[in-house]
Amino acid sequence: MKPYALLFIVCVLTGGLFVFFAGDDVQQQAPEAVSKLKPGTYKVEYDQPDFRGWKAFFVMEVNATGEMEEITFDYVNSSGGLKTQDVEYNKRMRSKSGVGPSDYCPRFVKNLRVYQNPDEVDGITGATHSSHDFKDFAQAAFKNAQIGNQSTIYIPQPELVAPGAKEKK
């Protein structure tokens, strides 16, 4: 039993010496969890509408303390209508996938506001394309906000042709 007691005392003393000599250096070596964002408004959107006529956009306002405050994610059509407010579109999508834009767009925004990091926001079942759009847009805006670049980011639209349709020449 004596060797275990001796080992315990040596461990306690070593740990105490480490804490005594390391002091504040231990805290200074820990990296910051998330880079502070620069205050401003950051925008991301597709360069053109998809084959259904919707164009995704994302706007993020960062406050003076470097936190994402106001966030908007939605899709707009050529008439200026928003997908989250299109009652018929929401009804059709809910009947097929169980969730509509008026459900998932606010959830994405809420989760980003809570986590303050786009990598922490999960996708939503039934909204696969929109989940990818949101994450891509939020990451792009987040990168710009880290350096303070408030230029609008235009991402090439990946859905110019309906799935299964042949491209027109």
Side-chain angles (χ1 to χ4, degrees), residues 19-164:
V19 170
F20 178 77
F21 285 110
D24 294 331
D25 292 342
V26 173
Q27 290 178 342
Q28 292 175 359
Q29 292 174 1
E32 264 188 46
V34 177
S35 299
K36 187 172 179 179
L37 304 178
K38 309 284 187 215
T41 301
Y42 302 92
K43 299 176 184 179
V44 182
E45 61 184 62
Y46 277 131
D47 61 350
Q48 57 188 312
D50 63 16
F51 66 92
R52 292 179 201 91
W54 294 104
K55 183 177 173 182
F57 69 94
F58 178 93
V59 180
M60 175 179 78
E61 291 182 30
V62 177
N63 65 21
T65 62
E67 293 181 339
M68 294 175 237
E69 197 167 64
E70 293 295 320
I71 303 166
T72 303
F73 173 68
D74 210 328
Y75 296 76
V76 64
N77 61 24
S78 60
S79 305
L82 298 175
K83 198 184 261 193
T84 56
Q85 296 175 358
D86 187 320
V87 176
E88 283 303 311
Y89 187 94
N90 276 276
K91 195 183 297 185
R92 283 192 313 272
M93 189 164 174
R94 276 191 198 103
S95 71
K96 291 180 182 180
S97 65
V99 66
S102 62
D103 303 315
Y104 59 75
C105 287
R107 280 178 49 193
F108 289 136
V109 167
K110 178 184 174 193
N111 289 338
L112 183 57
R113 196 173 288 122
V114 167
Y115 294 116
Q116 294 288 310
N117 184 343
D119 294 331
E120 298 292 322
V121 178
D122 290 332
I124 296 174
T125 302
T128 305
H129 290 290
S130 294
S131 294
H132 292 294
D133 290 347
F134 179 81
K135 194 141 191 159
D136 290 346
F137 284 27
Q139 288 171 336
F142 191 81
K143 284 179 185 174
N144 265 7
Q146 288 177 318
I147 59 173
N149 181 353
Q150 295 185 53
S151 301
T152 300
I153 299 170
Y154 296 96
I155 296 177
Q157 174 58 254
E159 294 187 47
L160 293 175
V161 179

